[in-house]
Structures are given as structure tokens and as C-alpha cells.
Amino acid sequence: LLLVANGRPVRADTLVDAVWGESPPCSAIGTLQSYVSRMRRGFGEGAEASLEHVEGGYRLTVEPAAVDAWRFERMVSSGRALLDGGDPAAASAVLLEAEALWRGPVLPEVVDVEDVRSLAVRLEERRVTAIEDRMTAELALGHHSAVIGELTALVEAHPLREGLRAHVERLVAEARA
């Protein structure tokens, strides 16, 4: 939650609710303070992050380059710009690097918290869009046979994605010609 707040303060009671739900222990605030203390120690010297106590809560400040989700979004935007600029080879490389940052569902242990759920949905959409853009780049480079299997699996996983379907239909049409 502190990370998702992107440098904005998060109230202590919001953190307590996120950690313990509707049944926090009597010692929730003290335990939360202990968790914060451990997080601070975990940062170590020269860390790219700091966690500070602010009126009624906490604020986490992190260098954007230290957060995979933020790096991912910047790389996806860069890949799209390269693709739109007519450089499919560079776009594919950047988008592939962005995809490599993906390690699975976004914060599944706290996805029931509204702000985290919104972030998870947005990042998942960006991930699929990045793959779709990479497929566009690969097809522009003529790598049809290299992507057909992945593209077919993507259409099965995301049957309502028109861009993915259009790529498969294009490949089928080219194979018939």
C-alpha cells in the first residue's frame, strides 16, 4: 500500500485494515510500528527508498528506477513510441525487456485492497498491450513463424482482444496466399 500510494502519506488505520482486515489485534498499531521499523532497517545505507512517519501515518519515498512496476510502464511507453516511430526492432527489444520484469500477478497477497486491485488491473492490461505491441513489431520484422505459437496462445487467453485476433487472421491469410 505504501508503494502504491506513490509518495503520498497512508494513514496508519488504513495500513492496519490492509494487514489485518476487520479483526485487527489489540496491539495492531504497535505491531505496525514494529513492521515499519523492520522495513527501515531493511533499506540499509544508501537505499533508494525511505519510510517516514507523517501526521497520522507513513510515507514511502522510492526512486522510480527501483520499482519494477514503474520501470515496466516506462519501458512499455518507450516500446510503443519506438513502434509508432517506425523502429520495430528496437521496439521489440524494449518490450521484451519490459516483459522480463513481469513475475506473475501483481501483489496477490493484498489484491483485495482497492488501490492495489486498481493497480493490478491496470498493470495487467499494460502487460497484454505490451505483448500485443511486441507481436506487431515481430510481425513487421517478418518473424511470422517465430510468433505464431505465442500469438495463438494469447488469442486463447484473451479472446476479446481484437488486435491479437487481427494478427492471427493476417498470418492465416498470408499462409494461404
Side-chain angles (χ1 to χ4, degrees):
L1 259 181
L2 290 164
L3 189 59
V4 170
N6 197 16
R8 293 182 314 274
V10 178
R11 294 176 42 89
D13 59 343
T14 301
L15 293 170
V16 166
D17 287 346
V19 173
W20 290 283
E22 295 179 18
S23 304
C26 298
S27 62
I29 293 295
T31 303
L32 180 65
Q33 290 169 344
S34 174
Y35 289 166
V36 166
S37 178
R38 279 191 272 169
M39 284 179 67
R40 283 185 183 133
R41 280 193 307 270
F43 291 150
E45 287 294 319
E48 298 173 319
S50 67
L51 182 56
E52 61 184 322
H53 184 267
V54 294
E55 180 93 21
Y58 298 92
R59 176 180 27 239
L60 178 66
T61 306
V62 182
E63 290 295 322
V67 180
D68 285 348
W70 297 340
R71 287 179 44 221
F72 170 80
E73 290 199 278
R74 281 193 312 280
M75 292 170 87
V76 170
S77 294
S78 175
R80 169 55 70 92
L82 289 164
L83 188 59
D84 291 344
D87 192 348
S92 178
V94 168
L95 293 166
L96 198 56
E97 189 178 345
E99 289 176 51
L101 292 173
W102 201 266
R103 293 184 185 95
V106 176
L107 302 169
E109 61 279 356
V110 288
V111 79
D112 58 332
V113 176
E114 182 58 37
D115 289 345
V116 175
R117 184 174 32 256
S118 296
L119 174 68
V121 167
R122 182 172 55 84
L123 285 173
E124 176 60 25
E125 174 60 25
R126 291 281 286 175
R127 183 184 73 84
V128 176
T129 299
I131 295 170
E132 197 169 27
D133 285 350
R134 184 174 55 79
M135 292 292 112
T136 300
E138 292 293 331
L139 292 172
L141 294 167
H143 301 161
H144 300 93
S145 61
V147 299
I148 188 63
E150 183 179 6
L151 197 49
T152 303
L154 285 166
V155 169
E156 288 177 19
H158 305 280
L160 302 178
R161 300 291 294 221
E162 292 179 13
L164 294 173
R165 284 195 170 281
H167 286 326
V168 169
E169 289 170 10
R170 177 177 151 208
L171 287 175
V172 169
E174 288 176 6
R176 290 183 183 159

